[in-house]
Every structure is written in structure tokens, then in C-alpha cells.
Amino acid sequence: MAPALDKKLTGLVAATFTPFTTQGEINLAEIGPYIDYLTEKQGVNNIFVNGTTGESMSLSVAERKDLAEEWCRKAKGKMDQVIIHVGCMSLTDSKELARHAVQIEADGIAVISPSFFKPSTADALRTFLYQVSSVAPTLPFYYYHIPAVTGVNMPARDVLENIEELIPFFRGVKFSGNDLMDFGQCVSYCQPHWSALYGVDEQLLAALAMGAHGAVGSTYNYVGYHVNELMSAFDHGDIIQARTIQFKIQELLSYAKKLGFDLGVNKQLMNEVSGLSLGPPRLPVMPCPVDQALAIAQKYHSLFSKN
């Protein structure tokens, strides 16, 4: 895969789970079947690797390299774009992963804000992003905005201000926040070759109305087929159908949240729905009780007849 400089990232992007063995080691053997499942069963042809859903901050740099390389290798010829998240608490580690993404011919990189020592201003965060991008200057670059996780609550729109002057190959934002005004301002500011990608799955339809070019999310691993239908309905002006599908997704997630929906539950739900063996999460995230996952999977099947 060559860097996708002229290929705007649109549509659905699955934020991939990291496959682990029952002993808690990364399980590269499951990546090939995982890619086939996404493309053949869900119609999802783009992936966001080593992000929040992928438990990146619980992985070593070496593990993240091994995973990124295998995702890129197995996706070649099967998927449109593989975006590798390379953000770390350490600038040095982030740069190392960015250099590696160039070597493995990823289609782009994304970077989250550091969240232990937090940037105090948008300028500080832009400077961090620039430093990471400087070692991979020809790769499409995305800012990953997720304030509920990082605690960095500055508007994403402020971070985007004049960012292309620092990062010539800046290509967009993965906006995983609830502030639709801030998201709308990002869309309004977007250059034609940028992508505004929304990351709160349960309110995607609202983001589409604001002008989202695509969406990145964990649930697209197992409801991607239906969300593709939602986006198609929206594109064709069938708001009632789009809303019907969005409400089903909200009902599923609302039910799951009442049972304690977190990354461990989400991963086990993916295991149950897909038939893949992605293993448990890594501590400190706790494994999901099987009966809890089965109850959510039953709810899933009652809402979505396909799969």
C-alpha cells in the first residue's frame, strides 16, 4: 500500500480490537481472519489500528510495531486504507512508531494528545503533533481528538488552526467527542482534501448532518453492514430509514451500558457476534462475564437480523 495522499478517507473505518491469546500475548494469527470478516461480512474496507479500542496504551512499542506490520501486510489488496495510531505519552516513542509506519507502507498515521503531562494550549499540542509528523513527512496525518479519555478539553477546531503550515500532509481529524458545535466548526474549517471523521457511534447521524465525511468506531466491527445502510439512506435523502437504523444502534448501546459497557464487554461482544477469537482485554481492563456478553449479543440479534 502506498501512502494515500490523493485518496480522501471517507465512509466507515473500523477501530480494530487487538487480538490476544488467553495468556495475554498479542495473537497475530487472528488478524487475517479478522480482515476477511470486516470486508466480507461487514462491508468495512478501512481500519484504524492501535487506537483506544486496540488498547494501544497497554501495549509496548514492540507489540504495536508487530501489530501494525501484520495489519498492513494482511490488508494489502483487501482493504482500502490502514491508518496506524502512533500516539504515545512519550514523544520519542511516537516518533519511533511514525518512522515504522513509513517503513511498513501504512496509508496514514494518527496521533492522540498526551494525557499524563497534558499540553496546556492548542499551540503546545500542535507542536507535539508536528514533531511526530516530522519523521514521517510524506504520510497522511490525522489528529485524534478524544477529550473524555485524554482530559485535554481544548476545542479541536483550535488545534486545526493553521495546522497545515506545520504539517503539509495533514489530512483530517478523528473527532471522538460529543461537542457537535466544535465538530461542525472543524467541518467548516476543513480543506477540500481533509476528512472530518466522527467517532461517537451512537450519534453518527447527527454528525452526518453536520457534514462528516466518514466515521471511525469500535461498533463498526460488528454493525458495519447496518451503518453502511444508514449512511446510504442519508446520502439518498431517506432520513426516516437512517434514523431507524441509528435508533437501533442506540438501543443496543443503551442496553449494553446498563450492564456496564466498557472495552472488555465490547471486545467480548465482538467475539460472540463475529465468531473470531480475539481473546480477553489486557489489565487493568477486566474480562467480561460470558453471560453478560451473551445477553448483549442476544439483544444485537433481536435488533439486527443479518449476520
Side-chain angles (χ1 to χ4, degrees), residues 270-301:
M270 174 63 174
N271 283 328
E272 299 295 337
V273 171
S274 68
L276 296 167
S277 298
L278 304 181
R282 179 171 284 182
L283 288 170
V285 180
M286 294 298 291
C288 169
V290 174
D291 59 342
Q292 190 173 334
L294 287 174
I296 300 171
Q298 184 176 7
K299 182 69 171 179
Y300 166 90
H301 289 300

Side-chain angles (χ1 to χ4, degrees), residues 113-114 117-131 152 154 158-159 166:
S113 171
F117 292 113
K118 298 177 176 63
S120 57
T121 65
D123 186 59
L125 179 50
R126 268 194 307 271
T127 303
F128 180 88
L129 299 176
Y130 161 69
Q131 287 289 331
V152 177
M154 67 189 69
D158 291 354
V159 180
L166 284 176

Side-chain angles (χ1 to χ4, degrees), residues 31-256:
I31 288 176
Y34 193 159
I35 288 170
D36 290 341
Y37 173 80
L38 288 176
T39 57
E40 296 170 10
K41 300 295 186 182
Q42 297 298 335
V44 174
N45 299 302
N46 304 292
I47 50 176
F48 186 89
V49 172
N50 290 344
T52 304
T53 304
E55 304 178 69
S56 61
M57 297 304 170
S58 297
L59 301 169
S60 69
V61 168
E63 287 175 322
R64 287 175 69 167
K65 284 183 175 180
D66 288 345
L67 285 160
E69 187 164 357
E70 189 69 2
W71 279 110
C72 283
R73 188 173 73 85
K74 288 292 175 64
K76 190 172 184 179
K78 290 186 175 182
M79 306 202 93
D80 293 334
Q81 294 199 44
V82 178
I83 308 301
I84 306 295
H85 173 244
V86 301
C88 300
M89 296 302 100
S90 158
L91 177 60
T92 302
D93 288 348
S94 293
K95 284 183 169 181
E96 185 175 344
L97 289 171
R99 290 189 191 95
H100 181 255
V102 175
Q103 295 169 6
I104 62 176
E105 299 184 330
D107 294 296
I109 56 174
V111 176
I112 199 172
S113 171
S115 57
F116 189 87
F117 292 113
K118 298 177 176 63
S120 57
T121 65
D123 186 59
L125 179 50
R126 268 194 307 271
T127 303
F128 180 88
L129 299 176
Y130 161 69
Q131 287 289 331
V132 179
S133 73
S134 68
V135 301
T138 61
L139 269 188
F141 186 96
Y142 299 86
Y143 165 51
Y144 179 12
H145 178 71
I146 183 167
V149 171
T150 63
V152 177
N153 293 306
M154 67 189 69
R157 170 63 181 82
D158 291 354
V159 180
L160 300 188
E161 183 73 22
N162 298 322
I163 197 167
E164 214 167 29
E165 294 178 10
L166 284 176
I167 306 173
F169 291 110
F170 186 81
R171 288 297 181 268
V173 57
K174 177 188 184 291
F175 191 104
S176 295
N178 290 309
D179 187 344
L180 285 170
M181 177 173 153
D182 185 25
F183 180 69
Q185 291 187 309
C186 289
V187 174
S188 176
Y189 186 71
C190 269
Q191 307 307 302
H193 50 286
W194 294 7
S195 298
L197 306 164
Y198 196 62
V200 182
D201 306 8
E202 57 268 34
Q203 54 192 50
L204 171 60
L205 182 55
L208 292 174
M210 296 297 292
H213 304 113
V216 185
S218 62
T219 68
Y220 308 144
N221 285 284
Y222 49 83
V223 295
Y225 175 89
H226 306 286
V227 180
N228 276 324
E229 289 188 322
L230 183 160
M231 296 180 77
S232 178
F234 178 83
D235 288 342
H236 289 92
D238 190 348
I239 300 301
I240 293 175
Q241 174 64 7
R243 191 183 295 146
T244 297
I245 298 169
Q246 183 72 91
F247 287 165
K248 285 185 178 182
I249 294 165
Q250 290 181 345
E251 186 176 346
L252 173 66
L253 294 180
S254 176
Y255 178 82

